[in-house]
Every structure is written in structure tokens, then in C-alpha cells.
Amino acid sequence: GGESAEAVRVGDHVLRIPHGRLHATDLAREVRLLRLLERRGVSAAPRDARLLHTAEGVPIAMAYRYVDGVPSRGVALYGGSRERFTRNLGEFLGALHAVPVREARAAGVHSGDYWSAVHVPLIEACRPHLGGRLAERVDALVAWFAPMVARAPRTLVHGDISGAHTLIDPAGALAGVIDFEYTAVGDPAVDLAGVLNDRSRAFLSRVLAHYPRPLDAEALMRADVYIALAPLFTLRTAAAEGDLNAV
């Protein structure tokens, strides 16, 4: 993501140069992951990933083969283009979620309990800015949802699926998926919710029509809850910047 790495095209490759919270160890893990996905034949994942070092051997950036596409966010999809994109995205998510967890962990991918690590702190940070009745409704949602998350399956997940990270080519096909910074072993519904960042539930249904794995009975409910909580990220940022009027 743009918050922690700068992406620069150099010839036929893209360099991801870390800054902020992204460190060389994170880049090395991302390179190992992308190499695993390439070996596993996961389409749309960046190819030819490698770590770049200084003359002294210090890791400074990662590189992968340039993906010729534009972010799909805001791109209207109809007819054949929509069918190609949803088919490609469904196949990508299915292949990603099918990567053996043991191989992902061997590549350095950590377990990502997005609920306790991301959403619970998010809710607590926003609580002072929620009205009484809204806070009660959020508390009831948390109490109902926590057991559902606890029994969710665990797969390799991208963790940041959105129109900014799913690239589309002129024919409407999925050209590539980028930014695997948040990839973890976690709830696959997180990636389904990611589709809902920019598209409708009907669009997600089209994607899942090409998803080659069985979904557990509660997956779509979890995805709906994850995306329903997404506005809290905006609220937390506005609160931190002292600009709640912008929410």
C-alpha cells in the first residue's frame, strides 16, 4: 500500500521501496510469498519477485515484473468485461485460498486475526465518538459476531483486496493483484469483504460463481459485517485529525 511503500516503475519491473512501518524483513517475506504463489500457479500475482540489496548486502527494496493494467476502482464493468473480470477474480481468490497454510507459514506468512488485531481496536478507538444507541448496537454486534469469527476457517488471504489493488486491462480482464503487504493466514471472508470495498453484493455473487472452493455457511455473513464496519476506519482517521465534521 501507498502508506508504507513507494512503487516506482523501472523498465519492465516495479520497485517497492519501504518507508514508515514497512521494513526490509517485510519485503523479504513478501518476496518469499510471491515466489510461492508463482510456484503454485496463482494467476494475477506479481511474477519474478526478488529482493534488492546495497553493495554492502543491506536489503533496500523489492522488485517484481511490471503488471500492465490500471486500478479497477471506478471502472464501469458491463457485459463481457464484467464476466471476464469476475471470472478472473473468482479464480484468483480460489487459487490464493487453496495455497496450503503450512507452505504459507514456511514462507514467513503470519496468522492474521483481523478481528482482534484490527477491528476490536478500531471499535474501541471509535467508541467515544458513537452515540449511546449506536454504541449499544455495536456492542451487540461484537457479542454476536466474535464466536462466528472464532469458528471461521483459516486460509491464506490477501487481506487488502480493493479496486486500488486489483488491476484491469483494456479488455476487462484482471491484469494483476498487487500489494501483498497484509497477506496472512486468516478468515477468507476478509477477502470477500474486500470485493465489497468497491463493488456491490451482486458483483460479489458473480465473483463467487467462479470461486472453485466451497464456502462455509457463515462466510457471506462475516463479509457483510466486516464491510459494514468499514466506515469506522474513516471515523477513526477523522477523529485523529480533529475533523469529525468531515465524516
Side-chain angles (χ1 to χ4, degrees), residues 63 121 200:
S200 67

Side-chain angles (χ1 to χ4, degrees), residues 132-154:
R133 292 193 64 182
L134 181 56
E136 290 176 1
R137 292 178 64 184
V138 170
D139 287 342
L141 176 65
V142 169
W144 169 77
F145 191 57
M148 190 183 299
V149 173
R151 59 179 176 260
R154 294 294 185 265

Side-chain angles (χ1 to χ4, degrees), residues 115-198:
W115 177 249
S116 62
V118 176
H119 291 92
V120 171
L122 173 68
I123 292 167
E124 291 306 312
C126 292
R127 185 178 301 281
H129 310 291
L130 302 177
R133 292 193 64 182
L134 181 56
E136 290 176 1
R137 292 178 64 184
V138 170
D139 287 342
L141 176 65
V142 169
W144 169 77
F145 191 57
M148 190 183 299
V149 173
R151 59 179 176 260
R154 294 294 185 265
T155 68
L156 181 65
V157 297
H158 180 279
D160 200 11
I161 291 291
S162 71
H165 298 150
T166 52
L167 307 184
I168 190 169
D169 71 13
L174 179 66
V177 179
I178 59 173
D179 283 14
F180 286 74
E181 177 183 341
Y182 295 103
T183 300
V185 173
D187 181 359
V190 168
D191 283 346
L192 306 188
V195 176
L196 297 174
N197 272 313
D198 302 281

Side-chain angles (χ1 to χ4, degrees), residues 194-214:
V195 176
L196 297 174
N197 272 313
D198 302 281
R199 303 289 176 175
S200 67
R201 180 68 179 270
F203 187 92
L204 175 60
S205 294
R206 290 179 179 272
V207 171
L208 292 176
H210 302 285
Y211 183 77
R213 293 170 55 83

Side-chain angles (χ1 to χ4, degrees), residues 1-6 16 19 165 179 181:
E3 295 181 354
S4 53
E6 180 181 2
R16 271 171 53 82
H19 58 80
H165 298 150
D179 283 14
E181 177 183 341

Side-chain angles (χ1 to χ4, degrees), residues 95-112:
L96 181 71
H97 295 169
V99 172
V101 167
R102 65 181 183 280
E103 293 185 22
R105 288 186 170 134
V109 175
H110 59 83
S111 294

